[in-house]
């Protein structure tokens, strides 16, 4: 139930963060293993062209998840603040809007992908050797588009209800299904990329079904039935105002990866395979750090809604310290075990060399990941739509994509890879400025309201 977020007020700061962030980190860890598993088992075919094909196709499929994040991150922010203000009926309307929007948009995206498959393959840089593999993968995974949106959405929203463990379990079920079926379909049945895609399809579907049965059985405080769907009363605008900025980073990340792959294809399929594996290795630091930010967001949102400024700052200090230590530790581990990590995915010498070189470049800014994700999630928790938009698009859009063209032209393949660390540094500085400006304004407003309207918090309870 949403009211269960109140239990965290009775814990110490470190206990509350640990209890709410750990499931999110574990869920992101499972997502990471799931992402690595696909490439690992495809790598066991010892066919670098199939590895390259999965590298080309993955960012296209991630568009579904990015769009699901619009409703997941936006819904989480609005629902957690609504619970903090005692507006439980409004929270239910938000949940229904998010669910049915995901269903409709998912069906539409599946149709569009199937109709425009060949032009899409040309755009993402599929070569004669990787064309059939990439088309097979995308055709199969396109049919789980709706389930991917729902899974991405509710893995966030259930944390806003105080159901962090349940949110984690949905992701674990989907990811474990995928990981268990990968060796069977890819290595056992020798289905290659088709087996990889089918395992992804079944994993995404089962994860979404797990989340849906929670609502169908009436276990949730959120009424997500179709009759409760509405875009009025600022339901749609409030969700989209936070969700679009929050997801735009993920959406632009997919677009940027597509551009990266298309430009890297000029240096051959082995370079494409290498950058694909390098990005997987960097995900070890990035995705776990992202889990810290996602886990602490409902706590920050509840504090913002209930106007508990002191607790908000305490959560931020602890989360920043934890995220910094984690980012540094994970980055060092990746550097120390670079060659064994790459060899788990690639055996072809040219592709292996590309992957090691590219991963070392991308990890330069690994220690900054955790701090960045905590600050951007804090902006979402405070309902700062514009600031959240600026912080999120700076890393994958406003800075990164132009850097791909500029540095790629100046320094060829290495320049394409250095574009990401350059964007990381700029976006890190932008997020610091945005957080300082917004927190001073938003939290000062809360303090003033507490002074002048001390009884406001219980009006709708």
């Amino acid at each position: 139930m949403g009211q269960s977020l109140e239990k965290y007020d009775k814990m110490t700061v470190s206990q509350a963060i640990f209890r709410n962030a750990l499931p999110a980190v574990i869920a992101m860890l499972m997502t990471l293993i799931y992402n690595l598993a696909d490439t690992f088992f495809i790598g066991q075919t010892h066919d670098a062209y199939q590895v390259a094909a999965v590298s080309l196709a993955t960012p296209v499929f991630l568009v579904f998840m990015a769009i699901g994040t619009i409703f997941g991150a936006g819904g989480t922010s609005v629902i957690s603040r609504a619970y903090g203000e005692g507006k439980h009926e409004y929270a239910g309307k938000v949940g229904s809007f998010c669910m049915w929007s995901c269903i409709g948009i998912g069906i539409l995206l599946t149709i569009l992908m199937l109709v425009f498959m060949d032009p899409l393959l040309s755009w993402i840089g599929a070569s004669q050797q990787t064309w059939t593999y990439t088309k097979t993968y995308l055709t199969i995974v396109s049919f789980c588009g709706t389930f991917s949106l729902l899974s991405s959405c509710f893995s966030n929203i259930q944390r806003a209800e105080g159901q962090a463990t349940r949110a984690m379990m949905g992701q674990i079920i989907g990811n474990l299904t995928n990981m268990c079926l990968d060796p069977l379909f890819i290595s056992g049945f020798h289905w290659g990329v088709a087996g990889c895609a089918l395992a992804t399809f079944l994993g995404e579907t089962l994860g979404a079904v797990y989340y849906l049965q929670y609502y169908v059985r009436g276990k949730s405080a959120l009424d997500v039935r179709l009759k409760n769907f509405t875009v009025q009363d600022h339901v749609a605008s409030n969700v989209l105002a936070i969700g679009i900025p929050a997801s735009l980073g993920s959406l632009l990340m997919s677009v940027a990866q597509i551009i990266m792959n298309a430009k890297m294809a000029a240096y051959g399929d082995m370079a494409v395979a290498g950058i694909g594996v390098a990005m997987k290795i960097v995900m070890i630091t990035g995705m776990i750090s992202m889990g810290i930010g996602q886990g602490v967001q409902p706590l920050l949102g509840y504090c913002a809604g209930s106007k508990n400024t002191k607790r908000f700052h305490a959560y931020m200090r602890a989360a920043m310290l934890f995220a910094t230590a984690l980012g540094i530790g994970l980055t060092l581990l990746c550097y120390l075990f670079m060659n064994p990590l790459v060899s788990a995915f690639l055996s072809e010498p040219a592709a292996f060399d590309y992957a090691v070189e590219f991963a070392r470049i991308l990890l330069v800014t690994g220690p900054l990941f955790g701090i960045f994700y905590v600050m951007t999630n804090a902006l979402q928790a405070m309902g700062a739509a514009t600031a959240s938009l600026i912080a999120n698009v700076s890393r994958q859009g406003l800075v990164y994509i132009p850097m791909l063209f500029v540095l790629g032209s100046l320094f060829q393949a290495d320049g394409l890879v250095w574009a990401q660390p350059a964007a990381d540094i700029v976006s890190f500085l932008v997020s610091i400025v945005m957080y300082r400006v917004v927190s001073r304004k938003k939290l000062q407003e809360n303090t003033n309201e507490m002074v002048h309207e001390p009884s406001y918090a219980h009006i709708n309870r």
Side-chain angles (χ1 to χ4, degrees):
M1 297 295 183
Q3 296 94 320
S4 62
L5 276 174
E6 297 172 1
K7 67 186 178 185
Y8 292 109
D9 284 340
K10 301 175 183 178
M11 301 178 186
T12 65
V13 169
S14 58
Q15 286 176 328
I17 290 179
F18 182 80
R19 289 281 298 275
N20 208 58
L22 182 61
V25 171
I26 293 174
M28 293 306 293
L29 181 61
M30 294 302 300
T31 301
L32 169 64
I33 295 172
Y34 144 70
N35 276 279
L36 295 178
D38 282 352
T39 306
F40 173 78
F41 287 108
I42 285 294
Q44 301 312 296
T45 66
H46 302 294
D47 184 350
Y49 291 115
Q50 291 194 58
V51 175
V54 172
S55 298
L56 290 170
T58 297
V60 178
F61 176 63
L62 290 178
V63 170
F64 285 101
M65 296 183 182
I67 294 176
T69 302
I70 293 177
F71 303 98
T76 295
S77 177
V78 178
I79 290 170
S80 60
R81 283 183 284 129
Y83 278 135
E85 296 167 3
K87 300 178 180 178
H88 304 295
E89 182 179 348
Y90 185 77
K93 292 180 180 180
V94 174
S96 179
F97 169 76
C98 292
M99 173 176 165
W100 292 101
S101 295
C102 284
I103 291 174
I105 293 173
I107 294 172
L108 177 62
L109 286 176
T110 296
I111 295 171
L112 291 174
M113 184 176 290
L114 293 173
V115 171
F116 297 102
M117 181 65 71
D118 285 350
L120 176 62
L121 292 172
S122 296
W123 182 53
I124 65 177
S127 67
Q128 183 178 356
Q129 290 79 13
T130 60
W131 185 282
T132 301
Y133 291 136
T134 310
K135 185 173 184 177
T136 297
Y137 185 96
L138 286 177
T139 299
I140 294 172
V141 299
S142 66
F143 286 102
C144 68
T146 296
F147 298 112
S148 296
L149 262 73
L150 287 171
S151 184
S152 179
C153 174
F154 283 114
S155 65
N156 284 282
I157 284 181
Q158 289 193 356
R159 282 195 290 272
E161 295 186 73
Q163 298 291 335
T165 301
R166 180 174 291 276
M168 173 189 70
M169 285 302 300
Q171 290 182 283
I172 289 176
I173 288 171
N175 294 340
L176 278 178
T177 299
N178 191 344
M179 288 186 288
C180 291
L181 293 178
D182 267 341
L184 177 65
F185 290 169
I186 297 171
S187 302
F189 296 161
H190 304 290
W191 288 346
V193 293
C196 179
L198 183 58
T200 298
F201 171 85
L202 294 173
E204 291 292 320
T205 301
L206 287 179
V209 168
Y210 173 82
Y211 290 128
L212 288 174
Q213 59 84 28
Y214 175 66
Y215 297 98
V216 170
R217 293 167 57 191
K219 300 291 185 180
S220 172
L222 296 176
D223 184 356
V224 298
R225 289 176 294 178
L226 183 59
K227 70 176 187 178
N228 207 30
F229 176 90
T230 182
V231 297
Q232 299 177 348
D233 197 18
H234 302 290
V235 169
S237 60
N238 285 342
V239 170
L240 297 179
I242 298 299
I244 290 177
S247 68
L248 201 53
S250 298
L251 184 59
L252 286 173
M253 178 175 67
S254 295
V255 172
Q257 281 187 290
I258 291 170
I259 294 172
M260 159 72 87
N261 289 335
K263 295 180 78 64
M264 190 65 76
Y267 303 96
D269 289 323
M270 296 305 100
V272 173
I275 191 61
V277 169
M279 288 181 171
K280 295 289 186 182
I281 292 172
V282 175
M283 285 171 62
I284 295 173
T285 299
M287 293 193 71
I288 296 176
S289 297
M290 189 183 299
I292 301 296
Q294 290 182 352
V296 78
Q297 183 187 338
L299 299 175
L300 295 172
Y302 186 81
C303 289
S306 60
K307 310 189 192 312
N308 191 340
T309 302
K310 182 178 179 180
R311 187 79 168 180
F312 184 99
H313 285 307
Y315 281 141
M316 278 298 295
R317 287 192 296 269
M320 294 281 275
L321 180 62
F322 184 29
T324 301
L326 191 65
I328 293 173
L330 289 171
T331 300
L332 289 175
L333 286 174
C334 288
Y335 272 118
L336 287 173
F337 297 99
M338 180 68 69
N339 284 6
L341 285 170
V342 173
S343 64
F345 303 101
L346 291 169
S347 58
E348 206 285 330
F352 179 92
D353 291 341
Y354 273 124
V356 171
E357 179 186 359
F358 293 162
R360 286 174 176 164
I361 295 172
L362 292 173
L363 282 168
V364 166
T365 49
L368 303 181
F369 292 164
I371 304 172
F372 175 79
Y373 288 123
V374 168
M375 286 191 292
T376 54
N377 276 275
L379 291 172
Q380 294 166 26
M382 290 184 288
T386 302
S388 180
L389 173 65
I390 294 172
N392 276 284
V393 302
S394 65
R395 183 169 185 260
Q396 299 295 351
L398 296 179
V399 179
Y400 181 43
I401 292 177
M403 284 288 186
L404 282 173
F405 289 92
V406 174
L407 296 182
S409 298
L410 294 174
F411 305 108
Q412 288 73 53
D414 281 356
L416 291 173
V417 184
W418 272 107
Q420 184 64 76
D424 287 343
I425 293 171
V426 173
S427 61
F428 175 74
L429 296 175
V430 168
S431 65
I432 290 176
V433 173
M434 290 295 99
Y435 174 76
R436 288 178 66 85
V437 171
V438 170
S439 62
R440 286 177 180 174
K441 178 180 178 182
K442 293 282 185 179
L443 300 181
Q444 183 61 44
E445 288 175 356
N446 287 350
T447 302
N448 291 339
E449 289 179 13
M450 290 177 67
V451 171
H452 298 296
E453 301 179 57
S455 63
Y456 175 78
H458 71 272
I459 288 178
N460 291 318
R461 291 188 184 277

